[in-house]
Amino acid sequence: MSSLATASREALSEGGALARQLDAFVPRPAQLRLTAAIADTFQQRDVLLAEAGTGTGKTFAYLVPALLSGLKTIVSTGTRALQDQLYHRDLPRVRAALGVGHRAALLKGRANYLCRYRLDQARGEPRFATPEQVAQFQRIATWSGRTQYGDIAELEGLADDSPLLPMVTSTMDNCLGTDCPFWSDCFVVQARQRAQEADLVVVNHHLLLADLALKQEGFGEILPGAQAFVIDEAHQLPELAANFFGEGFGMRPWQELTRDCLAECRSVAGAQATLHAPVATLELALRQLREAMEQLPPRGTRWRALAVPDVADGFDAVSSALLQLRDALAIVREASPGLDACHARALEGVSRLARWLEDGQESGGEEWEIDDAPIETPLLPEAPEPASCYWYELTPRGFRCQRTPMDVSGPLREHRERSMAAWVFTSATLTVDGGFEHLAKRLGLDDPDTLVQPSPFDWQQQALCYLPRQLPDPAARGFGAALIATLKPVLEASQGRAFLLFASHRALREAADALRGGPWPLFVQGEAPRASLLQRFRESGNGVLLGSASFREGVDVTGDALSVVVIDKLPFAAPDDPVFEARLDAIRREGGNPFRDEQLPQAVIALKQGVGRLIRSETDRGVLVLCDPRLLSRGYGRVFLDSLPPFRRTRELADVQAFFARQWAPAADESLPDDADSPAPPFSLS
């Protein structure tokens, strides 16, 4: 054990620095083993994959060696909310307990900071759709005069999807850089300067990956060089990386370009006469393309989109309009930095659209079976395997088109090796059936050190897993109605206090309709902002929260308010995801098994995320209800069950009712009845 590992263990041990300084801190053996492994990884500049179950205390386990090591460390979290929690709550407590004076910085992507130039441009603009937007804009303007850091998160009540945000924040495309009149007071520049000077920088995966993508293209870097990286919630990294190492465009950014062109014309004589017609042409072409795309499924591959004549013609019209705008901007670009930036954006838009329309190989399709469900997957029998998937997605008022690389392990490996730094990848959900192989391959890790520290919770006493009898196959007609009939007595036993996770928005809506008017307050994803919905659910004490895939993570409710987690179906990825289809086809080409190598492990990790919402503390008690009969009727069900914590399990509703009546008998039989179809063995963490 290295000296850093010894010091880290001592700080987290009984009588150590954290136990002396922090109220309610309790030393945990799993946390001590984890912090020692992380400390050794730091000292040896090695790579570690560490799964730390809920309750292990992984945040303190990596912050302590990071602060004691003296290494310049970057900690990357999965979301901005976790980033804020880490920086504003966890880090100050650990730093104070250790008595270290390390400088820390919080760094977010530029879209999280107020842009003084764009705020100034938006003043007096007739862009506001409602009086509420006018009032909100005035609130932003008032706040801009007193904020120290310009972090949009300081503005409580401003929704993440507010149409005001693009008006008052910048993107890499529309930032004027050193030509900006507000450069010396730029919040983004100031945040990056603080990060350069800090010993520990807290970022999120989006910013980390944006930096890696820039470095890969040779344009420089956002983040300071570091000697150690900690990637928390590391299971999210491969999917996010695929987006960042690709490229895309969309209707909304190009609409913003047209508005910015007209806004910049106000300060340049004659510019509006030059730009008015090409701006109007592009706006019309975008609207007509979006109307033509109504004929398409919500998302699909490029070749499917371009096979529709109206859509193909629509893309040609947008391409022509972008060219016209680019050429018009070239005439006036030297008149102001803003118009020059608009010209660069139009130039890049022309290039990206051309690449999306022309690059790569097109394909036919072939149906093949996965888990008895036919999946349409692209097939290129003669051409070499494409490096990327080209696809589109419709939004309520727009569209986006993307090129996504099929394999990001190469660029991730290249950057990691070039950094010469220590890398720690950690999460509560990294393994599948006890192994790290799936995630290690996707991250480009050939032979990393690995560690599994199970959750320290007493699962046998705190939790119960209920697998209801007589539910039909999830694909069968009537599954939704049977599901609600099965759940109602569970909700009666628990007096609400439940979180229901659905595989689709349609199933969520049907369940919400069926449960409305019941005795429990109902909180449905999409009917209020996420943070507000969770807060109201916590405060209700007996509510029922309904969510879909995006709610598998980030729902952290301790205590009795969440005592039941229901998962309707095994979370296999939707077969209409074009990137997923292309990835499955690539696996087939390499001689692999798409179901075994991709669909199953991804679904296992997703299920573990949902299950992790149930027990969040040593005093929580709850019932997990898994409603998919394939867990017992299909051979792969055992992989799911063996990847979960060691629940006591039952198929009897009476056991659930007894659990909530606090009459559960500890000596009760933990196995399933003999008549269960293909029964899985008792849960284990092997």
Side-chain angles (χ1 to χ4, degrees), residues 330-345:
I331 298 172
V332 297
R333 57 177 292 195
E334 295 183 359
S336 77
L339 288 173
D340 189 43
C342 286
H343 175 261
R345 291 160 65 185

Side-chain angles (χ1 to χ4, degrees), residues 283-576:
E283 289 177 336
L284 177 61
L286 287 170
R287 290 195 300 270
Q288 290 177 337
L289 172 57
R290 181 60 182 84
E291 290 173 6
M293 295 179 81
E294 282 294 323
Q295 306 173 60
L296 300 173
R299 54 184 173 179
T301 58
R302 172 185 60 183
W303 68 265
R304 284 176 177 165
L306 297 182
V308 178
D310 289 348
V311 174
D313 291 344
F315 274 111
D316 287 343
V318 169
S319 179
S320 176
L322 273 172
L323 286 167
Q324 291 178 42
L325 182 59
R326 179 202 66 182
D327 294 343
L329 283 164
I331 298 172
V332 297
R333 57 177 292 195
E334 295 183 359
S336 77
L339 288 173
D340 189 43
C342 286
H343 175 261
R345 291 160 65 185
L347 192 67
E348 178 63 19
V350 168
S351 298
R352 289 195 177 194
L353 178 55
R355 286 193 291 269
W356 191 84
L357 290 173
E358 298 168 8
D359 280 2
Q361 301 282 342
E362 299 298 5
S363 68
E366 176 185 70
E367 283 200 355
W368 49 288
E369 297 260 330
I370 288 290
D371 189 30
D372 298 334
I375 293 179
E376 184 80 12
T377 183
L379 182 62
L380 306 176
E382 303 297 335
E385 178 188 342
S388 298
C389 173
Y390 295 80
W391 55 282
Y392 72 87
E393 182 173 44
L394 302 182
T395 60
R397 292 181 297 276
F399 63 84
R400 68 184 182 110
C401 299
Q402 190 81 18
R403 175 187 65 82
T404 302
M406 290 295 91
D407 183 3
V408 295
S409 61
L412 289 176
R413 180 189 297 110
E414 180 183 347
H415 179 76
R416 189 181 64 253
E417 292 175 348
R418 190 168 61 244
S419 72
M420 304 294 289
W423 287 76
V424 174
F425 299 88
T426 186
S427 170
T429 54
L430 296 180
T431 63
V432 176
D433 200 8
F436 289 94
E437 293 80 4
H438 176 70
L439 191 70
K441 181 179 180 182
R442 299 194 69 189
L443 290 172
L445 304 176
D446 296 326
D447 188 25
D449 292 332
T450 61
L451 177 72
V452 176
Q453 288 302 313
S455 168
F457 298 147
D458 186 350
W459 293 92
Q460 293 289 311
Q461 296 301 318
Q462 290 182 248
L464 173 69
C465 178
Y466 174 43
L467 298 113
R469 297 179 182 273
Q470 298 177 336
L471 278 170
D473 186 275
R477 185 185 300 273
F479 176 79
L483 175 71
I484 295 300
T486 297
L487 293 183
K488 282 186 175 178
V490 174
L491 297 178
E492 290 167 359
S494 65
Q495 300 174 14
R497 304 183 300 160
F499 176 34
L500 280 55
L501 262 171
F502 294 91
S504 69
H505 289 281
R506 178 180 177 182
L508 184 153
R509 290 191 300 269
E510 290 176 353
D513 291 341
L515 292 172
R516 289 192 199 280
W520 316 285
L522 206 61
F523 304 96
V524 182
Q525 177 184 349
E527 295 185 357
R530 180 189 178 106
S532 171
L533 207 64
L534 289 176
Q535 185 61 28
R536 288 162 51 202
F537 171 68
R538 288 189 187 96
E539 293 171 352
S540 73
N542 68 333
V544 177
L545 173 66
L546 278 65
S548 63
S550 62
F551 271 51
R552 286 191 202 117
E553 302 186 44
V555 175
D556 190 357
V557 180
T558 57
D560 291 342
L562 197 163
S563 298
V564 175
V565 168
V566 176
I567 297 176
D568 69 335
K569 300 178 184 180
L570 294 175
F572 289 108
D576 65 340

